[in-house]
Amino acid sequence: MAELSIKQSEARSMDEFPRTLSSSSGPLSSELQCSICLDVFTDPVSTPCGHNFCKSCLNQCWDKSQTYKCPLCKETFRRRPNLKINTALREVVLHLKEKSGQSKSEVLCDICDNIKMKALKMCLVCQSSYCQTHLEPHQRVPKLKKHKLIDPVENLEVYICQKHEKPLELFCRDDQTCVCLLCAVTDHKTHNTVSIEEESKERKSQLMKMQTDVKQMILDRMKRIQDLKHSAKHRDETSEKEKAESIEFFTDLIRSIERCQSELLEMMEQKQKAAEKQTEEHIKELEQEITELMRRDTELEQLSHTEDHLQLLQIYPSLSRPVRTSSWTEISISDTHESVGTLRKALTQLQETIEEKLSKTELKRIQRYAVDVTLDPDTAHPLLILSDDGKQVTCGDTELELKDNTKRFDYCYNVLAKEGFSSGRFYFEVQVKGKTEWDLGVARESINRKGMITAAPENGYWTVFLRDGNHYQAYESSPVSLSLRVKPQVVGVFVDYEDGLVSFYDVESRSHIYSFTGQSFTEKLFPYFSPSDNEGENAASLIISHVR
């Protein structure tokens, strides 16, 4: 608590300094003012007796006198004291000037007696500042013309060696510090020293390069911002377009369902009417048969009681013949089965229609992001043969004599595309017709390309592959077997960078093959191809197709 009180007291005192400076009756007025010029100290120096004066004021007093005494207490010194700026006092004065708004941005001439003029130059040898009038000897006298002149500064001691009181004219590269000529032949005798101008020129060159690099970094980031904004704008426009297309699609789908439903109901109604009509005809026919049977029953009843044997024998042949009847039970069952079969067929057709519309819409949507892809020969394994247009790759029998580089695959028969993508969505198609083995997908830029490779997501690969003619797999951490209805002839690869999605499609059958979801991409992704070796029936090329 005591320490806090002291600090608070000091803080209040510092806040009160500006008001003290502005008041001649303040307690610190005499402590911070030169007794010669009666102004606030400029470059304060201390005499051996402990009094403080402006450096220029005290030098002027002693320059005009044969003796060296303190202007305040009159103590005489046998030799002219070596005056050094009281840096602590100067910092206090500068701080208070800034707080009070009295800080002066200009340096005054040390030689002017009465009204001090603004300094034009400062001499590092004389360690004084000169106005235009008092600078004239340094421009005329040969000896003075050799002195080092600089623009006026308030902290001249920064340019002076504090040990030898000589101008700092050299730079020691070993110690990375500025030194004077005496330092160079004593403490830094064996060191690599150059002129300050030379070192400054080299540093400026480095700074210019750094500035160029910084500007380029700024431009790169500005371009990245523009790309992101463009991507966001494009994504918004695409999203709106997809919404409109989705509404149109589902509107058409609903109309198709309603039309199919209407046709089905109409067909069922017609079937129902036909069945009702047929039933009525059957009933009428059965009623007629009943009438005929009842008549026959009456005749049979009468004959069974007759005593006229001759009549019985004459009529019997006609009554013994069976009455014609219809198989009405079979007709009823047949109609029921036919109605159920018709309904099932109609529902199957409706389902196929919906699936076909969905497939067409999905493929149409992703094909909008088609990009032009070409193979990069600098990444191709030496056994791979690339076409001149960079659109086809197959495996040869003899390794080509190619210069090895960090980008080239040296063990696996792989090749990447020249084009890499670090945002947005992109899609490309590859013809795999006639091949029994292949790998397709995308890979990140920093993948390992040397030696045996496991093409899994944790290693930077997102791929599907074919082996032995009909064994399809997705290369997850644990490979996933894929059951495909038909053998793909053209495979489409779609990537949504921001959503972390990589999907594969059979283009001709318009069916989905596999998707890697929930991935996190942080660097460029490059299309990835492997035609595998050319053994057996696998000699066909992988061909980058034009997206229709």
Side-chain angles (χ1 to χ4, degrees):
M1 291 297 291
E3 182 180 357
L4 180 61
S5 299
I6 293 173
K7 290 182 177 179
Q8 291 174 341
S9 176
E10 290 176 349
R12 286 196 299 270
S13 299
M14 292 297 289
D15 290 337
E16 291 171 357
F17 280 172
R19 293 192 294 273
T20 302
L21 281 174
S22 63
S23 173
S24 59
S25 60
L28 289 176
S29 176
S30 60
E31 298 295 334
L32 298 177
Q33 290 181 352
C34 174
S35 58
I36 298 175
C37 66
L38 301 180
D39 201 353
V40 180
F41 289 124
T42 300
D43 291 337
V45 293
S46 301
T47 60
C49 59
H51 295 117
N52 300 311
F53 305 92
C54 295
K55 182 179 180 182
S56 59
C57 293
L58 189 55
N59 279 331
Q60 288 180 34
C61 287
W62 287 348
D63 288 343
K64 298 176 182 179
S65 175
Q66 298 296 324
T67 59
Y68 308 111
K69 61 174 64 176
C70 175
L72 191 60
C73 68
K74 307 304 180 183
E75 181 178 345
T76 303
F77 312 112
R78 288 188 300 173
R79 289 186 299 180
R80 183 167 179 164
N82 184 16
L83 300 176
K84 292 187 177 181
I85 295 175
N86 187 331
T87 56
L89 181 58
R90 185 187 63 182
E91 292 300 321
V92 172
V93 172
L94 288 176
H95 173 73
L96 295 176
K97 283 183 177 180
E98 291 174 358
K99 295 277 284 184
S100 62
Q102 298 178 13
S103 178
K104 297 179 181 179
S105 59
E106 62 182 28
V107 177
L108 302 179
C109 177
D110 291 334
I111 310 303
C112 292
D113 291 333
N114 299 322
I115 300 176
K116 291 185 176 294
M117 302 299 291
K118 180 180 178 181
L120 184 64
K121 290 289 183 180
M122 298 187 80
C123 177
L124 294 181
V125 179
C126 302
Q127 299 185 28
S128 297
S129 57
Y130 301 97
C131 64
Q132 186 171 4
T133 301
H134 293 110
L135 183 62
E136 188 271 337
H138 279 76
Q139 298 171 333
R140 174 175 48 84
V141 180
K143 185 177 180 180
L144 295 178
K145 288 174 69 175
K146 297 180 180 180
H147 289 189
K148 181 73 172 178
L149 298 177
I150 64 171
D151 292 331
V153 293
E154 293 185 0
N155 53 340
L156 181 61
E157 71 276 4
V158 175
Y159 299 82
I160 305 298
C161 174
Q162 297 300 308
K163 182 176 182 180
H164 302 107
E165 296 187 0
K166 298 290 183 182
L168 297 172
E169 301 182 63
L170 302 174
F171 182 81
C172 176
R173 288 178 171 172
D174 293 344
D175 294 338
Q176 292 291 300
T177 185
C178 295
V179 297
C180 69
L181 292 174
L182 288 178
C183 290
V185 297
T186 55
D187 298 340
H188 301 264
K189 182 177 180 180
T190 60
H191 293 182
N192 179 17
T193 57
V194 295
S195 67
I196 287 180
E197 289 78 6
E198 181 181 346
E199 183 67 20
S200 177
K201 183 179 180 181
E202 185 172 333
R203 293 291 177 92
K204 282 183 179 179
S205 177
Q206 295 174 358
L207 289 174
M208 289 177 65
K209 184 178 182 304
M210 291 170 60
Q211 186 180 20
T212 301
D213 293 341
V214 170
K215 286 182 177 179
Q216 185 60 47
M217 291 172 67
I218 294 172
L219 291 175
D220 291 344
R221 280 150 182 77
M222 291 176 66
K223 184 178 182 303
R224 178 62 175 162
I225 290 174
Q226 290 177 350
D227 291 343
L228 290 173
K229 287 182 177 179
H230 177 74
S231 177
K233 182 180 178 181
H234 179 69
R235 186 168 58 250
D236 292 341
E237 292 174 352
T238 302
S239 178
E240 291 300 322
K241 188 174 182 180
E242 288 178 354
K243 287 179 183 178
E245 290 179 350
S246 297
I247 293 173
E248 182 181 358
F249 163 71
F250 282 108
T251 301
D252 291 342
L253 184 61
I254 291 172
R255 289 173 182 169
S256 298
I257 294 173
E258 290 176 346
R259 184 173 62 254
C260 291
Q261 184 182 25
S262 177
E263 292 174 355
L264 179 62
L265 291 174
E266 184 179 356
M267 181 178 63
M268 292 179 67
E269 186 176 351
Q270 291 175 353
K271 286 285 184 181
Q272 180 69 22
K273 288 180 180 180
E276 289 176 356
K277 182 179 179 180
Q278 191 176 28
T279 300
E280 290 177 357
E281 292 176 352
H282 290 336
I283 291 173
K284 186 176 180 180
E285 184 178 348
L286 288 171
E287 287 177 345
Q288 291 176 353
E289 291 178 359
I290 290 172
T291 301
E292 179 64 23
L293 289 171
M294 290 180 68
R295 185 184 63 77
R296 178 69 62 88
D297 180 66
T298 301
E299 291 178 353
L300 291 172
E301 178 68 23
Q302 292 175 354
L303 286 175
S304 65
H305 295 90
T306 185
E307 295 294 335
D308 188 343
H309 302 292
L310 180 60
Q311 184 184 17
L312 174 65
L313 293 174
Q314 291 175 341
I315 298 175
Y316 179 80
S318 62
L319 293 178
S320 63
R321 289 193 298 269
V323 179
R324 288 188 306 170
T325 59
S326 302
S327 181
W328 55 270
T329 53
E330 293 180 2
I331 294 174
S332 176
I333 294 172
S334 175
D335 288 345
T336 302
H337 281 303
E338 184 179 356
S339 298
V340 173
T342 301
L343 178 60
R344 287 177 177 173
K345 182 179 180 180
L347 290 175
T348 301
Q349 291 175 346
L350 178 59
Q351 183 178 2
E352 291 175 351
T353 301
I354 293 173
E355 289 179 352
E356 182 179 357
K357 284 182 174 291
L358 286 172
S359 298
K360 288 181 178 179
T361 302
E362 176 66 12
L363 190 59
K364 181 181 178 182
R365 183 183 70 84
I366 63 176
Q367 284 179 328
R368 187 185 300 119
Y369 301 100
V371 293
D372 186 21
V373 174
T374 52
L375 302 171
D376 184 0
D378 290 339
T379 66
H381 184 278
L383 268 177
L384 298 184
I385 302 173
L386 276 57
S387 62
D388 293 338
D389 62 359
K391 298 296 184 181
Q392 301 185 33
V393 58
T394 187
C395 189
D397 297 319
T398 306
E399 286 195 3
L400 303 175
E401 294 183 2
L402 301 174
K403 183 179 180 181
D404 192 22
N405 59 66
T406 57
K407 296 170 60 177
R408 190 179 305 283
F409 293 94
D410 65 354
Y411 186 84
C412 298
Y413 304 149
N414 302 336
V415 60
L416 299 180
K418 292 180 180 179
E419 298 78 16
F421 305 88
S422 57
S423 64
R425 302 166 180 172
F426 63 95
Y427 172 81
F428 61 95
E429 293 179 353
V430 183
Q431 179 179 312
V432 297
K433 183 178 180 180
K435 295 193 67 61
T436 58
E437 292 190 0
W438 51 258
D439 296 55
L440 289 175
V442 293
R444 66 183 178 217
E445 188 171 19
S446 63
I447 53 171
N448 174 38
R449 310 179 190 205
K450 307 300 181 183
M452 180 66 73
I453 293 172
T454 302
E458 58 265 26
N459 297 326
Y461 294 83
W462 293 267
T463 65
V464 295
F465 62 85
L466 167 66
R467 296 290 183 271
D468 301 325
N470 58 6
H471 182 206
Y472 295 90
Q473 280 192 341
Y475 223 136
E476 290 274 15
S477 301
S478 298
V480 179
S481 294
L482 306 176
S483 178
L484 306 183
R485 292 184 299 174
V486 295
K487 186 173 183 178
Q489 303 299 304
V490 179
V491 176
V493 183
F494 173 69
V495 176
D496 189 323
Y497 194 96
E498 281 73 22
D499 285 349
L501 172 68
V502 181
S503 294
F504 300 82
Y505 296 87
D506 181 342
V507 176
E508 293 190 354
S509 69
R510 299 176 180 272
S511 59
H512 174 254
I513 296 176
Y514 189 77
S515 286
F516 295 88
T517 60
Q519 306 299 306
S520 179
F521 304 132
T522 57
E523 54 185 274
K524 276 188 177 182
L525 297 179
F526 290 82
Y528 164 89
F529 312 84
S530 176
S532 193
D533 56 43
N534 59 358
E535 295 181 1
E537 301 178 356
N538 195 43
S541 299
L542 286 179
I543 304 174
I544 300 173
S545 305
H546 174 69
V547 179
R548 293 167 295 187

